[in-house]
Structures are given as structure tokens and as C-alpha cells.
Amino acid sequence: MQIETNLTIEGYVRPNSTSIQYNTQIPVYIRAVSVAKNKVIKSAIIVGNHLTLGKNPGNVLGGTDNLYVYLILVNEPTIANYFVPGTVYRLTDSSNVGTFELEATDSGGNTPPADIPISVNGDPPAPDAPFIGSGAGDTPDIPYEGDFDFNHHFDFSIVSNPASFILGDALAGIRPTIATLQLQVLNAQINEEYGVQIAFSSRNPLGFTLHLDGDLSKHGIPYRMFLGNDEIYNNELNIWRDLFTQSSNFASAQKNVTVLISAVDMVDSAPEGVYQDTVTVIIIPLDTL
């Protein structure tokens, strides 16, 4: 194998139970797990350019048996629930999984052992079979399913998104609405309360900030954001819990997202132009509350 062992992935994680953040450098390593005859016969971390996938020594297969090898990305988080179920992670641009070659060792009678190249995906045996595809720059999504199985599911949508607002209204305390959110639960139990954890993430990691032309290097105007009547903070998880199914297995609720600007001095010193921010909404389903 010709792989980079210092791999990193990126995506949203929970550094603690109340907040969420986008981590661009999550260290991972690859563990190879070999399964034959419905049993794990080998499990080893890939640390070099050669790895024996079966028992050593010993015959792995017999007759028409198959050998399955699972390559698993593993991280050792410092806290439980560090990763977010349902989130898609991605290999960072600096990570190179590389290529591999597969061989079987064969010997018979007095014949010395010899390595026999094996074809991959029906292609001729080669020393540079790709792990993740043949195209340059292929970077597949890495789904993290987690350990949960809900019969119900949530539907989140933005039913109204005026987005732009009058700066003077936000300064005057009127709290203009920038979006109306709708949360629904379907196929749920009757007479139950459901909810989700929800977080809002500004492009500026320091907090909600409008930047000239949306450029983080240009002048910024901090702003405050509210979900319904509750103020929310950048990357902090909140509970949206008012989904009552009552007499059906369906429930729906809406909340307005409003903004307020208190930093008058940053507005007075702002160059003329268009100020904007991109906010990412993260939803983490909960079971019945």
C-alpha cells in the first residue's frame, strides 16, 4: 500500500454536550478487518506499506469461500458522542488515501512460496489500484450513522426567507424577521412530545457577524439572533421541543428567526456597501422527550 497514514477528516462535531463546531482537522487512522467463514480472522491498524490480511501462517480460504476485508476510518474521541449521528464527514484536501496492490501467497509441494497478483474490480493486476476511485481529486462523503434507529423522522424547511432586512430596524430594537422555520415530525407515536437539538453556525467562527461583501477579511458588524423569543448563540445547541402529536402521528411547528444589532459603533464606522453572513443550521434528532 502507498497511503498517507496521517489522515484527517472534517465536519461538525460536539466538543461538549451543549455546543457544536466545524472541525477541519480530525485525526483518523485506517483499521483493516478481515472476515472469512463469518468470523473475524484479522484486525490490524495500517501503519506501513504491507499488511497481511489473513492468518499468518495458514490457509485463509477453502473451496468457494470468500474473504471480506473492511477498511474502517477510526478516531479516538476524548468524549462520548463527539461525532454527530446522521452527519456527513469528508477527507481533508491534505489527506491522501493513495493506492494498493493485492497479492496472495501460494505454494504447493516443494515449490517455494510465490506472491501472485490479484485483479481488483475486474481490472488487470496492478500496483496502483485506487482506494476511492480512479479520478484525480475524488473525495467521497463519509456518513456517520451512529447508534440509533427511529421509526419517526423529521422534516425541516425554511417556509419564508426574506433574508435581507433594514439595518435601522435592527438598530432600533424592532428585530426584523429574516426567516420562518418549520419543523415537522412524521410516523411518530400518538400523544408524545418530540424535539430536536438545533444550532446556528455563522461563517465567522467568533460569532454572528455581517461582513462587507460577505468577506471575512472586510469590515464586520456583529449581530444577535433569536429563534422565537429565545436568543441563540453561535454554534450553541438549543432544544426545539414543542412538537406534540396529540391525536395523530404527525406534528408541525413554526418559529421566526429575527435579528438585533447592538454594536452602534461598528455601524457608524462601516464603509458603504452590502453586508451579509451565511448561517448553517444543524439539526440533531432526539428521541421522545
Side-chain angles (χ1 to χ4, degrees):
M1 290 169 286
Q2 300 295 325
I3 68 171
E4 171 62 56
T5 55
N6 295 319
L7 298 171
T8 55
I9 61 175
E10 59 181 302
Y12 282 100
V13 294
R14 285 181 289 203
N16 53 60
S17 61
T18 60
S19 64
I20 194 166
Q21 69 181 27
Y22 197 90
N23 192 340
T24 59
Q25 294 289 322
I26 306 170
V28 293
Y29 57 85
I30 299 178
R31 176 176 288 275
V33 180
S34 301
V35 178
K37 304 180 188 299
N38 295 320
K39 293 183 178 181
V40 174
I41 61 172
K42 185 85 172 186
S43 177
I45 298 172
I46 299 176
V47 294
N49 59 6
H50 183 272
L51 179 66
T52 301
L53 299 176
K55 294 179 293 184
N56 189 20
N59 186 32
V60 175
L61 299 176
T64 60
D65 292 328
N66 294 317
L67 172 67
Y68 299 92
V69 180
Y70 300 90
L71 299 179
I72 304 168
L73 287 178
V74 181
N75 169 270
E76 301 294 346
T78 56
I79 62 171
N81 300 320
Y82 179 73
F83 292 99
V84 181
T87 298
V88 172
Y89 297 87
R90 177 173 290 271
L91 282 166
T92 58
D93 293 337
S94 60
S95 295
N96 179 22
V97 180
T99 61
F100 69 96
E101 179 182 13
L102 194 61
E103 295 178 337
T105 300
D106 185 32
S107 63
N110 296 322
T111 304
D115 289 334
I116 303 173
I118 298 175
S119 65
V120 177
N121 291 331
D123 297 326
D128 58 354
F131 277 97
I132 59 174
S134 58
D138 284 344
T139 308
D141 290 337
I142 305 166
Y144 176 73
E145 297 180 1
D147 184 17
F148 66 98
D149 184 18
F150 296 158
N151 292 322
H152 59 276
H153 65 274
F154 294 92
D155 182 22
F156 174 80
S157 58
I158 301 175
V159 296
S160 175
N161 185 25
S164 61
F165 62 92
I166 298 175
L167 198 62
D169 289 347
L171 284 166
I174 298 178
R175 280 176 43 188
T177 298
I178 61 171
T180 299
L181 310 181
Q182 179 173 272
L183 182 65
Q184 297 177 318
V185 60
L186 300 89
N187 299 326
Q189 296 294 319
I190 297 177
N191 296 323
E192 291 283 357
E193 181 188 3
Y194 289 83
V196 299
Q197 288 180 294
I198 183 170
F200 296 78
S201 176
S202 170
R203 285 192 63 208
N204 190 326
L206 299 179
F208 297 122
T209 309
L210 299 168
H211 285 275
L212 180 62
D213 300 325
D215 188 336
L216 296 184
S217 65
K218 296 183 179 180
H219 188 85
I221 301 175
Y223 67 95
R224 298 162 63 189
M225 182 178 288
F226 298 80
L227 179 63
N229 293 321
D230 299 323
E231 183 167 5
I232 55 179
Y233 301 92
N234 190 48
N235 288 329
E236 184 173 304
L237 290 167
N238 302 271
I239 301 295
W240 185 344
R241 62 170 73 247
D242 52 352
L243 287 174
F244 295 96
T245 53
Q246 296 181 351
S247 60
S248 72
N249 62 357
F250 167 84
S252 179
Q254 292 186 1
K255 287 189 177 184
N256 288 333
V257 178
T258 58
V259 294
L260 190 66
I261 294 178
S262 304
V264 179
D265 55 333
M266 300 301 292
V267 176
D268 291 340
S269 61
E272 182 179 356
V274 175
Y275 287 76
Q276 62 186 36
D277 185 20
T278 300
V279 177
T280 302
V281 182
I282 303 101
I283 300 288
I284 303 175
L286 300 173
D287 204 347
T288 54
L289 300 175

